[in-house]
Amino acid sequence: VRKDSARVEAYGTVDELNSVLGIARAFNADVVHARPSPGRRARTAARELDEILKRLQNELFDLGSELATAPGKANPGRIAVGDAAVRKLEGVIDRCQEDLAPLPSFILPGGGRVSAFLHQARTVCRRAERDLLRLMAEEEIAGGSLRYLNRLSDLLFVLARWIALHSGSKEYLWEN
């Protein structure tokens, strides 16, 4: 397979997304292990975020494997990212949104280091979604993968806002 094929682009972008989440986790770990303590609320949120990001990284690894496998070549035991994973994403979105105030305007990426990397992850996720659409125009790909990336980008936006709130970081609003 050529390195510029739609398949390689799609799983390469998913791998890039996984790496950005790894950076967010690394900065988030600084909050979890900070001395002196950043406060119980911030530390609790950082621990919860780490669990969420760890699960997402594993799911993205599974998705990358799925995308790297040519149609008809899949092993019977391979894990596919599908509707159950999408429902989990939506559950986390709903739970985190309960803490957040409605948006008065658009948000500019930022809101602390962890939040900023989650915003970057969101943009990479949107690119992965576009890459997957291009691949789906050429080959048969399970629809659950596309739904997963679509909802994941929404979750990453919500998580960026949620961790900014719980860490006491200021969000930057768009001014027209």
Side-chain angles (χ1 to χ4, degrees), residues 92-171:
V92 177
I93 290 169
D94 292 345
R95 185 168 40 80
C96 291
Q97 290 238 45
E98 291 174 0
D99 294 350
L100 299 172
L103 287 172
S105 74
F106 292 108
I107 291 186
L108 301 175
R113 289 182 291 195
V114 175
S115 181
F117 279 114
L118 290 172
H119 280 293
Q120 181 183 15
R122 174 187 52 79
T123 65
V124 174
C125 189
R126 288 290 189 202
R127 181 163 29 96
E129 186 179 6
R130 293 188 304 270
D131 288 346
L132 182 54
L133 276 169
R134 278 190 283 282
L135 176 59
M136 291 173 83
E138 296 177 11
E139 299 180 28
E140 183 73 25
I141 303 291
S145 302
L146 188 63
R147 285 188 300 279
Y148 178 83
L149 288 174
N150 179 270
R151 297 308 290 155
L152 177 57
S153 64
D154 292 339
L155 173 59
L156 294 170
F157 177 77
V158 169
L159 287 175
R161 295 195 64 223
W162 183 82
I163 199 63
L165 170 72
H166 289 291
S167 65
S169 298
K170 179 178 171 48
E171 287 186 305

Side-chain angles (χ1 to χ4, degrees), residues 6 18 27 37 57 61 71 73 91 107 110 140 144-145 157 167 173 175-176:
N18 206 336
F27 279 103
S37 175
Q57 284 193 286
F61 195 84
K73 302 288 184 185
I107 291 186
E140 183 73 25
S145 302
F157 177 77
S167 65
L173 301 178
E175 300 170 7
N176 59 354

Side-chain angles (χ1 to χ4, degrees), residues 18-134:
N18 206 336
S19 295
V20 176
L21 290 182
I23 296 169
R25 279 187 79 192
F27 279 103
N28 188 56
D30 292 346
V31 177
V32 172
H33 304 295
R35 297 279 183 253
S37 175
R40 192 175 76 187
R41 182 174 120 173
R43 184 170 284 183
T44 299
R47 285 184 179 138
E48 184 175 351
L49 178 63
D50 187 64
E51 287 301 313
I52 293 167
L53 295 180
K54 179 171 63 172
R55 181 174 54 83
L56 295 177
Q57 284 193 286
N58 280 284
E59 289 172 354
L60 286 170
F61 195 84
D62 294 338
L63 178 58
S65 173
E66 183 178 342
L67 296 176
T69 305
K73 302 288 184 185
N75 295 326
R78 185 189 75 202
I79 299 169
V81 176
D83 291 335
V86 171
R87 284 190 297 277
K88 285 182 187 176
L89 297 178
E90 290 172 342
V92 177
I93 290 169
D94 292 345
R95 185 168 40 80
C96 291
Q97 290 238 45
E98 291 174 0
D99 294 350
L100 299 172
L103 287 172
S105 74
F106 292 108
I107 291 186
L108 301 175
R113 289 182 291 195
V114 175
S115 181
F117 279 114
L118 290 172
H119 280 293
Q120 181 183 15
R122 174 187 52 79
T123 65
V124 174
C125 189
R126 288 290 189 202
R127 181 163 29 96
E129 186 179 6
R130 293 188 304 270
D131 288 346
L132 182 54
L133 276 169
R134 278 190 283 282

